[in-house]
Structure formats: C-alpha cells, structure tokens
Amino acid sequence: PTITFTVTDSGGSPVTGLTSFNFTVAQLVPTDADGGSIDNWRPVLTRNYGTAPDISPGGAVESSVNARSATTPAAQLSGVLVESPPGTYTYTFGNDLAAAQTLAASTNFGVVTSAFDPSLTTRIGVQSGAPILGQNPSTAANGTVIQPTPPFTATADILPGGTLTQNSRVIVTAQACDQCHHRLTAHGRRVNVNYCVTCHNSSSFDPKTPATDRQTVDFKRVIHKLHMGKNLPSVKAGGTFTFNGQDFSDVTFPVMSSNGTSDPGNCTVCHNANSATLGAAADYWKNKPSMVACGSCHDRTSFEQPAPAGWTLHTGGPQPNDQLCTACHASGAGIAPIDLVHTGLTSVQATITGKYKYNIVKVENTAPGQNPVITFNVTNPAASGAAYTLTEPAWNQTANGNSRLAIDIAWSTRVSSPADTNFTNDGSGTTPGQPVTIDALKNKVATATAGTFTVTSPVAIPANAVGVGQVVMEGHPAEDVGKPAVTQRIPVTSATRTFAITGTSTAARRKVVDIAKCNVCHVNLSLHGSNRTSSIETCISCHNTNATDINRRPKTGTTLDNKAEESIDFKKLIHGIHGADFSGNGPVIYGFGGSANDFRATGFPGVINNCEACHNPGTYTAGFADANGTTTSTETLADPSTYLRTTKVTATCSACHSQKLTVDHMLQNGGRFDVTQAQIDAANK
C-alpha cells in the first residue's frame, strides 16, 4: 500500500524535513483468537520475539528509515518515503501485505497466519519515529540523521470497498485515558488508543512472560488488569501481575467507591464514549461481555471445570466460548448485567446521591466565649427541594454506622491574612487540631420550620479565636444499590459555611485547589467511610497545620514507618501521596480504627510537575510570611505552642523533594525543620 498524510504543528503550519516514521497495519476480524463473538484487531505486520522453540508472535511496526530486526519476517523491510509538498508525506510500504506470514506454534498457542483480506476493515497507523524530544539525534542505517520530534500518532480505517474513515471502531477514547494521564504516552511515542490496538490484541503475546505460560497483550486484558492492580484476586492471594517486565501489582485505581475506597469496577470512567456518535462498539463493555474481558479483573474465576486449585468455578458453570455471556451479563439481562453489577459512583451519583443536599441555613452565637448554634436541613433536589424529616430509613441505620450526619465547627487562633486562614482548632478539646464534632441525628432540635433543625456546640469559641470560622455538614444516608441490592453509604457532597468570630468579614479562605480537578480522576472524592465528600473546604477543617495522626497510631509495638506520628496537614499530605513514586518517600497515615494507609508507593497518573492539574492558576506561588508551620511532632499534645513544625514552603516542597540535596537547598534559603511557631514568627519579623 501507499499512504499519504500530513504533519502540522499546533498552529496548523506544515512540519517539514521529517524522515523517521513507524507504521502499523491491522485488520478487524469477525471473531477474536479466543473463540469469542467479538470482532477484534489482528496485526498484518507481525514479528517473532524469539527463536524456536520459543516463538512468540506480536504486532510489528515497519520503519521508514531502516530494516527491522532479525526476528522480523524477512519481507518486512523499510519502504520509500517522499515529502511533497512541504509537510505532506507519501509512504510506500516495503511489505507485500498479501503475502501470508505464518508463525510456528509454541507451547500454548497455535499457528497464527496473518494475511491481508480485502473484505475486512483495515487500520493503518503512523507514529513519529525515534528519537523523541529530550533525546539526541540519531543516524539511520542509510546515513540519514534523525532529529528529535514530539511523540504523535494517527490512524485511518479503510472499509471494505476502499472508503477511508476515522474511528470505525471505538471502545475507549484517548480523551478518556487523558482525563487522568493528561497525555498518555506509551513506549515513548504512542499516544492514542486507536494506534495501541493495532499491536495490543489477542494475536500478540508478551515476550517477557515464561514460554510455558505465554500471556496475551490483548488491550482489554492488559488495561483491565493493570488498573485493577492490587485489587486483583491473584495479587490478593499473594501473586503479582507483570506486563512487559513491569510489575503493576501495587496500582490503585483512583476512582472512589461509595465507601471511600478504590472502585476499579466503575466501568464508565473509561468507557464513556458516546455510542450515538461513535457507533455500537462504544457500548461493547456492557453489551458484549467476554471471558477475556471479565476474566482479566476476575482473574481467579475459572471458566473450565474442574477449577484449578485456588480458583473459583464461574457461578454459571464452565463456558466453552463467549456465546452465552450475553444471556446473563449484557445490559438488560436478568441475572447480573454488567452495568448494574458495576454500578460505580457515576451511577450512584446520578440516581441516588442527587436525592440529597446538605444545607447550613444559619450560624449564630459565634463571638469568642459563645456556643455556636447551627440551623440546618437536608433537602431532596429531585423532589423540588422538599426537606427530609431525618426519620426516614436512610437516616435511621445508626446502630450499624450506615447512617450518619455530623456538624463540625472549626476556627483559628491566628490569622496571617483573611485569604490564608488556617484552622487550628485550639481549645476544641480534641487535639491535635481537630474541630468540634456534633452528632446531628442524635442532638438535633426541631425548629418551627418543618424539616429544619438546630444543634448547639458543647464547646464555646475560645477567647483567643480570631477572624473567620467554618461550619461543616458531613455524613451519609444509606440506601440499597445495585443488583443484587446491597446497602451502601451514599456519599453526599459536604456543605460548609463561614462565620465571623471577630470583625464582620465572613470571607471564605481562598480556593487553592478546585475539587472539580480532583474529581477528574477520583470522580467523586469521598473519604473516611463516605463521610467527607467532594469538598476541599471540608478537608482543611481537620487537615490543618496542627494536625497529625498521633491519636490513631498504635501505642505499643512498631509502626510501618517506624514513626511516632505523621503530619496530616493537607498541603504536605496530598503532595506526599501524589508524589510518592517520584520522591520514594510517601507517607504512612494511620486512620480510624488504627488502620494503616500506606502511600509509600503511590504514583501520579498524569504529568507530575503540572501543578494546575489540581491547583487553580496563581494559587501555588503564594507568599509565606507569618504562615503557620506544619506540625511534625506534637511534643506536649495539649499545648500547640510546643509543637515542632516545618515552615510552610519547606513542608510543601519537601513532601516530594525529600532528597538531601534539595533539603539542603531549602535550609540555605530560610526553610526550617523542627522549630516552634514562635521561632517561625520571630524569623519572619
């Protein structure tokens, strides 16, 4: 074949002088190699990863600048590239695609014959060749100097009869991947799912798995498994999942479930393509279940009988192929349809969470020495804002903890500036740094307005409190969700309201982080058992500069990190968690019930130095004069003046940049560790 394509920059101008491209060719066959009923890509250009007796087939690329390696079929040579006019390139393949390429059988797969069939849809892919930006120029075998270029890919589909089109089969879009990954780049230069599947299909195998157990690199299998990561049944049983020599056994899917944990069963986060515009394949995830797709996550479910040791036989019995999967698992099926079993928060948010809205109606008695009185209600936006009586079944499951509603009150005893109020909660009676918390279901008092209630703080605003305080309304009702129905805590968005303590200003603290940006990856960020949901303002009431996890840590024995306590100040905590893979020094946080939350190996799926992936513009370079230091050691727990702290900017930066060289740089420029707030204030005068 001969193909013509253009290369332009972001402004649409032609990019000229490129000589290095790679090309792939695959065809859409009506059944996949596993005997299923789903059409699947099969590479036309193939290669052997090794030599007999370990011959592992895989999709291959043809290069415009040099012949492929010795393990590639001999016919697979580079073709002819011509640029004319500038920025328009024509490439004639060096391969005769009509020549069948037959790969010999190995120990666990049969002969693979990959021949061009004009009756099938053909996908041709092009990618930028090596080197890429950040690398030095290279010289091809023919002497051509190849300059670095940004990574890019493109594909086009040729339908039977010759019509050229885009996206003839879309199951997942690159945009879905890039929600979290920003710009997902694999193998250095491949940036689009449409290109990935020309090699990652059921006809390609992983050369770095043992020859006796050669595993497919089929896209649906690999992507499901690596996002499932530590939640894979095989990993929980003590195994590992490796792909291309990389271990993904510690991966945690960032989307949150209704109980505040990872929810890898939320299919629509990735499978969010619009079938009305992109075709029926966009709904394959729910309409065409298969053993490969389902078994990739449920990887200790056996579809053969007897089930191997440590495996569980498929509830519906052994299955010879995928033909009967739709009877039970397709959308609308009667037993366990995928889109109802895998509800995920996307479905919960749309159908149940939308029934609840927390409202802080009024906050009174907020001067120093007074006990605040908070008026609140819970309304149903789906019923014209009608108020709940809080006696409904969703609210009366308090004995087992499924129903909870709380009012928290936070304040500060020092303010560097109104825009940067940091809650300290000194005098709340709950140290270090925690707000007053009131059980609103137990202590509510009905007002004259039906469905509206008050609670009164048992703790007075301390005499030395200043500036602006904040009330938080948080917690969760409980409802039955899914099929079969399971009682779940419903993560309702927390509500906040500021109040004046001294003066008249009720200005809220500046918004440093946008929760909508968090929810690009997390969908509905809900933590602590679905109690605190999609509200950064709620988080900072507790996760402040005074706060550590000392009260949750074991009092005897050793801890995972051999520390007595760890800061949970929001800026240090969140940077530390998301930067753990970069720093090699992520935090271990002990939580409710003494649970150990180990973030030492956590990674960030996007570009790590893209601050505005989370931050609002202009908010992450703020000054630090008179700022609260981040507590690392509480010393005398009841006396915050004794707490040893790290200065603001140093606490933020060292959460990721913890190497000695960078820490020394911070110290040389005024950063301090293990100093009191009085020492910080004295140094800033």
Side-chain angles (χ1 to χ4, degrees), residues 153-404:
T153 60
T155 60
D157 298 339
I158 306 165
L159 303 179
T163 301
L164 193 69
T165 185
Q166 298 287 332
N167 300 324
S168 68
R169 182 177 186 267
V170 177
I171 297 178
V172 174
T173 64
Q175 290 77 13
C177 302
D178 289 345
Q179 291 175 133
C180 291
H181 295 290
H182 300 170
R183 194 188 190 204
L184 182 60
T185 304
H187 305 294
R189 297 183 298 282
R190 294 153 195 179
V191 295
N192 192 290
V193 174
N194 283 357
Y195 187 92
C196 296
V197 296
T198 59
C199 289
H200 285 278
N201 47 60
S202 60
S203 298
S204 295
F205 289 77
D206 187 347
K208 296 186 179 180
T209 52
T212 54
D213 186 28
R214 185 65 75 212
Q215 297 294 316
T216 176
V217 295
D218 190 359
F219 200 71
K220 55 183 172 289
R221 174 186 177 270
V222 166
I223 299 302
H224 283 139
K225 288 187 76 71
L226 67 85
H227 284 90
M228 189 75 167
K230 63 170 57 177
N231 288 303
L232 284 167
S234 59
V235 171
K236 288 185 173 181
T240 59
F241 170 61
T242 60
F243 163 53
N244 196 35
Q246 301 293 315
D247 191 341
F248 293 95
S249 304
D250 62 352
V251 171
T252 300
F253 195 53
V255 175
M256 311 301 293
S257 71
S258 59
N259 63 5
T261 59
S262 173
D263 181 20
N266 193 330
C267 304
T268 55
V269 173
C270 301
H271 293 286
N272 58 13
N274 187 340
S275 59
T277 57
L278 293 175
D283 287 337
Y284 275 8
W285 69 273
K286 63 179 180 180
N287 291 333
K288 288 190 176 286
S290 69
M291 288 186 285
V292 169
C294 298
S296 56
C297 289
H298 302 280
D299 70 350
R300 282 301 175 265
T301 296
S302 175
F303 298 100
E304 298 179 353
Q305 195 173 26
W311 291 56
T312 301
L313 181 65
H314 173 236
T315 303
Q319 300 295 315
N321 53 44
D322 297 337
Q323 300 295 325
L324 297 179
C325 296
T326 56
C328 294
H329 301 300
S331 180
I335 299 178
I338 291 172
D339 53 345
L340 289 183
V341 172
H342 292 285
T343 54
L345 273 179
T346 302
S347 300
V348 171
Q349 189 79 3
T351 61
I352 296 178
T353 307
K355 292 166 52 180
Y356 299 96
K357 184 176 185 294
Y358 294 159
N359 307 286
I360 302 170
V361 177
K362 186 167 48 175
V363 185
E364 300 173 290
N365 293 353
T366 61
Q370 293 183 327
N371 294 62
V373 177
I374 296 91
T375 304
F376 69 94
N377 61 24
V378 182
T379 55
N380 184 352
S384 302
Y388 289 93
T389 64
L390 300 185
T391 59
E392 295 85 359
W395 297 105
N396 63 20
Q397 301 177 53
T398 56
N400 57 18
N402 285 334
S403 302
R404 179 180 179 272

Side-chain angles (χ1 to χ4, degrees), residues 425-444:
N425 302 325
D426 295 348
S428 68
T430 308
T431 53
Q434 297 307 289
V436 173
T437 297
I438 307 166
D439 184 337
L441 293 177
K442 179 180 179 181
N443 296 289
K444 67 182 184 298

Side-chain angles (χ1 to χ4, degrees), residues 17-23 61-66 68 81 126-153 185-190 195:
L18 301 180
T19 58
S20 179
F21 300 96
N22 290 335
F23 302 90
V61 296
E62 178 177 309
S63 172
S64 63
V65 294
N66 64 308
R68 304 305 298 157
L81 179 72
V126 57
Q127 71 172 59
S128 55
I132 58 173
L133 288 178
Q135 299 176 343
N136 294 321
S138 66
T139 303
N142 61 5
T144 302
V145 176
I146 306 170
Q147 296 294 334
T149 59
F152 60 84
T153 60
T185 304
H187 305 294
R189 297 183 298 282
R190 294 153 195 179
Y195 187 92

Side-chain angles (χ1 to χ4, degrees), residues 603-634:
F604 186 64
V607 179
I608 189 67
N609 64 351
N610 178 13
C611 299
E612 291 183 19
C614 303
H615 282 279
N616 290 321
T619 62
Y620 48 92
T621 56
F624 54 89
D626 299 324
N628 289 14
T630 294
T631 300
T632 54
S633 177
T634 53

